């Protein structure tokens, strides 16, 4: 008879586990789980959370009454077969639209993948708490982080679980109800390899990029995930941000759960709106005095959550124009990025003098610089607009036409030269 450790070594060299990152500690825990399953009459049924909001989470198989009856009638045989499937069938994997995604054991018994530090007071965690923690990290964060802290919070009636380190990019905080074991609050952040991006996101990339006129062949290069569940909410909400690149362009897509809420990417030349481009060139000439500057890059960002659609033009010599259509109306920005270098200040006295000069800049000087630019771009007489200063925003003033609430925000240097003008969308 083959010893179970020998059987493990034999099987782990097969199939998808050949290059698996499983550690010896993980191996030991999985084998312990197999032994537990052999002794369990109703493992999968009894391991389900009573929280109905969690039962509908992804990758959570359901067990029906008929299946339960069959298991009751043929318990010893089925339990033995289940153990066999897990012991050698740790190697059965679930497919999602053609993509290999999860081993069966992590679907049926998520706690098999739970990683615990050796010095934890694990007695504070019930089986249900362990399942909820493991399932939350698996389904929402997309990975299991090693639990580094378990703490009883008797005043609030909660158990606190921490995984990873706060100083690092991957970190988990979960608060559970001490009486029921259900989730109460969740804060998680993590990074994934681009190759680990779930297929339900990957399959959307090409069509989403095409929808904004960007190159559909951009490929994921990095993935970040943030997950939050606040007091009173029923389940965690995840945000997945994917950075995309190829040899010539870039892009970014943000999903809330499985729904894309923001898409950004460089526009293909044949998709650039020519009327908007001509208008942007006119704005750059008004600001800089330079005509027909070469276009360096055009990109578009569509934010479905905020209801904004933005086109961004970048020109030679670091000039740019941004045009936004949104729920609050139109926004327009023209700027000179050359003026954003750090001001060199030697001591506190020089800094105070510089700030005072910025705040008390002569209004007539600003109007002399801004008026002609606004006239050329928007065909507006600036004289009727009232100046407002803000001590909290040095180097920035607003001009407002109070009769219509039309507002311009102007960023400037201490000598009055204009860095940026924005109309609307402030």
């Amino acid at each position: 008879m083959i010893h179970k450790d020998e059987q493990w070594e034999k099987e782990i060299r097969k199939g998808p586990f050949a290059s698996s990152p499983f550690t010896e500690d993980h191996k030991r825990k999985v084998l312990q789980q197999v032994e537990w399953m052999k002794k369990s009459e109703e493992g999968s049924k009894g391991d389900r959370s009573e929280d109905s909001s969690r039962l509908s989470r992804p990758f959570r198989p359901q067990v029906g009454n008929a299946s339960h009856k069959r298991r009751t009638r043929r318990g010893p045989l089925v339990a033995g077969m289940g153990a066999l499937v897990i012991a050698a069938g740790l190697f059965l994997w679930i497919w999602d639209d053609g993509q290999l995604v999860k081993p069966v054991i992590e679907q049926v018994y998520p706690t098999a993948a739970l990683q615990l530090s050796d010095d934890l007071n694990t007695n504070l965690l019930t089986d249900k708490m362990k399942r909820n923690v493991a399932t939350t990290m698996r389904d929402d964060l997309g990975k299991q982080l090693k639990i580094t802290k378990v703490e009883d919070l008797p005043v609030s009636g909660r158990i606190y679980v921490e995984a990873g380190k706060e100083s690092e990019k991957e970190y988990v905080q979960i608060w559970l109800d001490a009486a029921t074991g259900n989730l109460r609050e969740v804060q998680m952040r993590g990074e994934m390899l681009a190759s680990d991006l779930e297929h339900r996101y990957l399959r959307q990339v090409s069509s989403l990029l095409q929808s904004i006129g960007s190159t559909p062949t951009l490929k994921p290069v990095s993935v970040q995930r943030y997950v939050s569940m606040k007091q009173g909410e029923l389940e965690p909400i995840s945000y997945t941000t994917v950075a995309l690149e190829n040899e010539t362009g870039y892009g970014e897509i943000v999903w809330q759960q499985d729904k894309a809420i923001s898409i950004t990417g460089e526009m293909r030349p044949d998709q650039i709106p020519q009327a908007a481009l001509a208008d942007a060139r006119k704005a750059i000439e008004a600001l800089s005095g330079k005509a027909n500057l070469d276009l360096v890059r055009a990109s578009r960002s569509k934010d479905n959550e905020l209801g904004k659609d933005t086109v961004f033009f970048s020109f030679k010599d670091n000039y740019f124009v941004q045009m936004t259509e949104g729920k609050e109306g139109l926004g327009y920005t023209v700027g000179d990025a050359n003026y954003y270098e750090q001001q060199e200040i030697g001591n506190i006295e020089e800094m105070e003098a510089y700030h005072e000069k910025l705040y008390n800049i002569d209004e007539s000087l600003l109007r002399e610089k801004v008026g002609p630019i606004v006239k050329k771009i928007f065909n507006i007489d600036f004289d009727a607009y009232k100046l407002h200063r803000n001590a909290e925003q040095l180097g920035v003033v607003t001009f407002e036409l109070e009769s219509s609430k039309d507002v311009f925000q102007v960023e400037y240097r201490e000598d009055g030269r204009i860095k940026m003008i924005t109309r609307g969308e402030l």
Side-chain angles (χ1 to χ4, degrees), residues 249-276:
Y250 72 93
E252 181 183 271
I253 301 176
V254 180
W255 284 269
Q256 179 182 321
Q257 301 295 80
D258 296 343
K259 181 181 179 181
I261 59 172
S262 176
I263 312 132
T264 300
E266 287 191 61
M267 302 182 74
R268 303 194 305 272
D270 63 330
Q271 294 294 311
I272 297 174
Q274 295 303 306

Side-chain angles (χ1 to χ4, degrees), residues 124-368:
L124 293 173
L125 296 176
T126 65
D127 287 343
K128 184 175 180 180
M129 289 177 183
K130 291 178 182 178
R131 288 192 299 275
N132 278 339
V133 169
T135 302
T136 300
M137 283 198 281
R138 180 195 69 190
D139 291 349
D140 297 297
L141 194 61
K143 61 170 57 182
Q144 300 285 356
L145 302 185
K146 179 173 284 190
I147 295 176
T148 54
K149 185 176 183 180
V150 177
E151 183 179 1
D152 186 10
L153 305 175
V155 175
S156 62
R158 298 183 179 193
I159 300 295
Y160 171 70
V161 176
E162 185 175 309
K165 295 182 179 179
E166 186 175 8
S167 59
E168 296 179 352
K169 294 180 179 179
E170 299 191 323
Y171 185 55
V172 168
Q173 294 177 295
I174 297 177
W175 291 262
L176 302 127
D177 189 291
T180 66
N182 292 332
L183 297 179
R184 285 295 170 257
E185 292 187 64
V186 174
Q187 295 293 329
M188 303 192 294
R189 63 176 185 263
E191 292 187 336
M192 300 169 62
L193 295 174
S195 58
D196 290 338
L197 179 64
E198 295 96 329
H199 190 59
R200 65 182 185 272
Y201 299 115
L202 190 61
R203 67 189 177 195
Q204 301 179 47
V205 168
S206 179
S207 60
L208 289 173
L209 290 171
Q210 284 183 309
S211 73
I212 61 168
S214 187
T215 304
T217 55
L218 296 177
K219 301 298 181 184
V221 292
S222 67
V223 182
Q224 293 184 324
R225 185 161 290 163
Y226 174 75
V227 184
S228 175
M229 174 181 166
K230 299 178 182 178
Q231 174 68 23
E233 295 178 343
L234 295 179
E235 64 178 52
I237 302 297
S238 66
Y239 291 85
T240 301
T241 301
V242 178
L244 306 140
E245 286 183 4
N246 65 10
E247 295 79 5
T248 59
Y250 72 93
E252 181 183 271
I253 301 176
V254 180
W255 284 269
Q256 179 182 321
Q257 301 295 80
D258 296 343
K259 181 181 179 181
I261 59 172
S262 176
I263 312 132
T264 300
E266 287 191 61
M267 302 182 74
R268 303 194 305 272
D270 63 330
Q271 294 294 311
I272 297 174
Q274 295 303 306
L277 177 58
D279 188 75
R281 290 188 189 279
K282 183 179 74 172
I284 293 300
E285 182 176 0
L287 178 67
S288 68
K290 301 176 182 179
N292 299 317
L293 288 179
D294 292 337
L295 178 67
V296 175
R297 181 175 291 111
S299 63
R300 183 181 176 191
S301 179
K302 190 174 182 181
D303 193 315
N304 296 323
E305 188 176 37
L306 299 177
K308 291 184 178 182
D309 194 343
T310 300
V311 176
F312 184 88
F313 297 106
S314 175
F315 293 91
K316 184 180 177 182
D317 297 340
N318 296 318
Y319 293 98
F320 63 90
V321 172
Q322 177 174 293
M323 305 172 182
T324 300
E325 294 184 22
K327 296 177 182 178
E328 305 300 323
L330 301 177
Y332 196 105
T333 297
V334 56
D336 180 358
N338 293 295
Y339 285 152
Y340 282 85
E341 72 275 6
Q342 186 69 31
Q343 182 73 20
E344 293 186 7
I345 298 176
N347 52 51
I348 188 66
E349 289 79 12
E350 290 182 9
M351 180 180 294
E352 290 176 350
Y354 174 70
H355 287 172
E356 184 177 357
K357 191 172 184 179
L358 279 176
Y359 182 72
N360 294 315
I361 192 167
D362 185 68
E363 179 176 346
S364 62
L365 174 61
L366 279 180
R367 289 187 179 276
E368 178 185 328

